Amino acid sequence: MNILISEVGPRDGLQSIERIMPLEAKKAWIAAEAAAGVREIEVGSFVPASVLPQMADTAELVAFGNTIAGLTVAVLVPNLKGAERALAAGARKLSIPLSVSETHSLKNLRRSHDQVIDEIARVATMVAAAPAGERAHFEVGLSTAFGCTIEGTVPEDKVVDLAERAIAAGAAEVCLSDTTGYADPAKVRRLVRRVKAAIGDDRLTSLHLHNTRGLGLANVLAGLDEGITTLDASLGGLGGCPWAPGASGNIVTEDLVFMLQAMGYQTGIDLEALMKVRAIVSDALPGEPLYGFTPDAGLPLDFESRAA
């Protein structure tokens, strides 16, 4: 089975640290990951620079990413204005966050559930207006789907309801996001099943997982068992959420690729080449912690780095 790894470090990773990575270093990072076989990279987000100065060069990164053959350039957009800027820049995949925890939504986007659903409908209408062959893929990320550091437990019925409303508003699919690291394998299996039953298998193919409590890869396995085929990850485990106190980084791309390829899944990624990309990030952000067991331990003898 082929699994798509969506690298989110240039967006989710960099927005969570104070320092700003130089544009040329970001380009080198994106180019090196694409050369290693990564087929989708979330290069940034179209939010005001006054809010996240780390993302001020996203339009330039979209333009750069579009010069790389075979790379899907993804971005996060908070609203219709952000989506307009993303499409004008040439982004091929848009993701808008819809926090299942309404308190988190008000902190993150300053919008209620109803207001975000209205924005989703407007963005979907704009995306649909493009010619079929040029239409960007529009996804809604259901943030805090497994729990919230502000509200605590998030009812599964609310996750299912918002997934249905997002699809009804025109999104192509939803992604379940463990923004705060509250997920466990049983919860992942249960929630993926429930959401798929409500909106269809083809409307939920991806998970965005964090490793806050060490369950990131275990949760990946639970998702794979339920037919998930796209997984977000961040090089070196960079990333978190400014509005989720205590939330640590995403699952480590290198460890995820190692586990999948060791199990016989196809990723198309050269793991040895991928691990060398860490030097670009560490050189540009000296002293910034990078995580990952595989880069520290190295590959086992006779390990087949590139899945056939």
Side-chain angles (χ1 to χ4, degrees):
M1 176 185 288
N2 193 293
I3 301 297
L4 175 65
I5 305 299
S6 183
E7 171 62 56
V8 300
R11 195 277 302 177
D12 198 0
L14 295 183
Q15 78 170 22
S16 302
I17 61 177
E18 292 185 6
R19 283 181 294 174
I20 297 175
M21 178 182 277
L23 175 60
E24 292 308 311
K26 292 181 182 180
K27 289 181 178 180
W29 179 1
I30 291 165
E33 282 218 26
V38 176
R39 293 172 286 143
E40 180 174 295
I41 301 177
E42 190 177 48
V43 300
S45 62
F46 282 92
V47 298
S50 59
V51 177
L52 282 175
Q54 301 95 322
M55 301 289 106
D57 52 11
T58 296
E60 294 170 275
L61 291 173
V62 170
F64 173 74
N66 282 337
T67 67
I68 301 174
L71 179 66
T72 297
V73 178
V75 296
L76 182 141
V77 298
N79 49 37
L80 179 64
K81 185 175 181 180
E84 289 173 342
R85 292 173 60 203
L87 292 177
R92 300 307 304 152
K93 180 178 179 179
L94 312 181
S95 178
I96 189 169
L98 170 57
S99 298
V100 182
S101 160
E102 195 156 34
T103 307
H104 184 269
S105 182
L106 292 168
K107 286 274 190 181
N108 194 33
L109 296 179
R110 297 189 179 93
R111 284 176 170 80
S112 67
H113 285 157
D114 288 345
Q115 289 173 318
V116 179
I117 292 292
D118 287 344
E119 288 290 292
I120 290 169
R122 294 188 184 100
V123 173
T125 298
M126 183 173 61
V127 168
E134 303 173 15
R135 200 170 295 157
H137 185 74
F138 178 40
E139 175 187 272
V140 170
L142 293 175
S143 307
T144 67
F146 299 93
C148 175
T149 54
I150 304 170
E151 289 189 8
T153 300
V154 171
E156 292 182 6
D157 287 347
K158 185 182 288 187
V159 180
V160 175
D161 175 65
L162 289 176
E164 292 177 320
R165 293 180 65 187
I167 296 300
E173 66 175 304
V174 301
C175 169
L176 297 182
S177 299
D178 185 23
T179 314
T180 58
Y182 273 38
D184 61 71
K187 187 179 290 187
V188 169
R189 289 191 184 93
R190 188 169 62 247
L191 197 53
V192 169
R193 287 177 188 175
R194 289 198 60 186
V195 173
K196 282 191 170 191
I199 64 175
D201 287 356
D202 60 337
R203 302 286 194 174
L204 172 57
T205 64
S206 60
L207 292 176
H208 178 99
L209 301 167
H210 283 218
N211 198 42
T212 309
R213 293 169 177 84
L215 295 179
L217 293 182
N219 292 332
V220 165
L221 291 177
L224 293 174
D225 287 345
E226 298 302 325
I228 293 296
T229 55
T230 297
L231 296 160
D232 290 357
S234 177
L235 190 85
L238 286 174
C241 176
W243 303 115
S248 63
N250 300 275
I251 53 177
V252 177
T253 306
E254 303 93 303
D255 288 344
L256 174 62
V257 172
F258 171 74
M259 183 186 77
L260 292 173
Q261 294 184 180
M263 295 175 67
Y265 288 99
Q266 299 175 356
T267 67
I269 296 172
D270 184 327
L271 185 50
E272 290 178 307
L274 179 68
M275 290 194 291
K276 292 177 182 177
V277 182
R278 291 167 68 95
I280 296 173
V281 178
S282 61
D283 288 348
L285 300 171
E288 192 67 38
L290 293 180
Y291 305 96
F293 289 101
T294 304
D296 288 344
L299 298 179
L301 291 176
D302 303 321
F303 180 79
E304 184 63 35
S305 176
R306 179 179 290 274

